[in-house]
Amino acid sequence: SISTVGVREKLLVYRTLHPNLDSGAADQLLRSTLVDSGTPFDAELVQRCLECGAHAKGAEDGRSLLHWALSHPAMLAPVVQWTATLLVQAGAPVGPPEAEAIGAWLAEEGDE
């Protein structure tokens, strides 16, 4: 399983799986990865998409990609944290909806 591979190795795997990802395809892959709430994802895949020109400032169905990542129900805390960091570093907006999602995520993490 790719989830048991180390961070550097995962990034290498995604670079191998997606060697010629142009910005449009990277953007589409990033959106589908974050919006599919039933499928877990790796932060390294998000990193690969951003490396290839995906737009962190994008939105889908009225929600920012950062909001989608923060509210993704199939994700573990370290992956959400790393993904959020990558998106914010790449210019994702952090407005009231994202702040609310961060608060909800922190409250949920505190309950566990």
Side-chain angles (χ1 to χ4, degrees), residues 2-3 6-7 12 14 28 47 51 73:
I2 197 163
S3 64
V7 171
L12 180 60
Y14 287 119
Q28 184 178 3
Q47 183 175 353
E51 286 177 349

Side-chain angles (χ1 to χ4, degrees), residues 34 41-43 46 66 69 78-88:
L34 296 178
F41 62 86
D42 289 314
V46 172
L66 177 58
V79 176
V80 172
Q81 290 172 341
W82 182 237
T83 298
T85 299
L86 291 168
L87 290 169
V88 169

Side-chain angles (χ1 to χ4, degrees), residues 84-105:
T85 299
L86 291 168
L87 290 169
V88 169
Q89 288 175 339
V94 183
E98 291 77 23
E100 186 176 315
I102 290 168
W105 180 79

Side-chain angles (χ1 to χ4, degrees), residues 1 3 22 37-39 50 72 75 99:
S1 164
S3 64
D22 64 34
S37 64
T39 305
L50 293 170
H72 199 290
M75 298 314 306

Side-chain angles (χ1 to χ4, degrees), residues 4-90:
T4 61
V5 178
V7 171
R8 286 189 195 121
E9 291 82 9
K10 282 186 195 178
L11 192 52
L12 180 60
V13 167
Y14 287 119
R15 286 177 177 152
T16 302
L17 288 172
H18 305 286
N20 301 315
L21 205 57
D22 64 34
S23 62
D27 206 47
Q28 184 178 3
L29 180 58
L30 178 63
R31 287 170 186 274
S32 64
T33 297
L34 296 178
V35 173
D36 184 357
S37 64
T39 305
F41 62 86
D42 289 314
E44 293 80 10
L45 178 57
V46 172
Q47 183 175 353
R48 177 62 181 153
C49 291
L50 293 170
E51 286 177 349
C52 293
H55 301 284
K57 295 178 183 179
E60 188 73 30
D61 294 334
R63 294 170 53 192
S64 72
L65 296 179
L66 177 58
H67 191 280
W68 280 104
L70 290 165
S71 59
H72 199 290
M75 298 314 306
L76 299 174
V79 176
V80 172
Q81 290 172 341
W82 182 237
T83 298
T85 299
L86 291 168
L87 290 169
V88 169
Q89 288 175 339

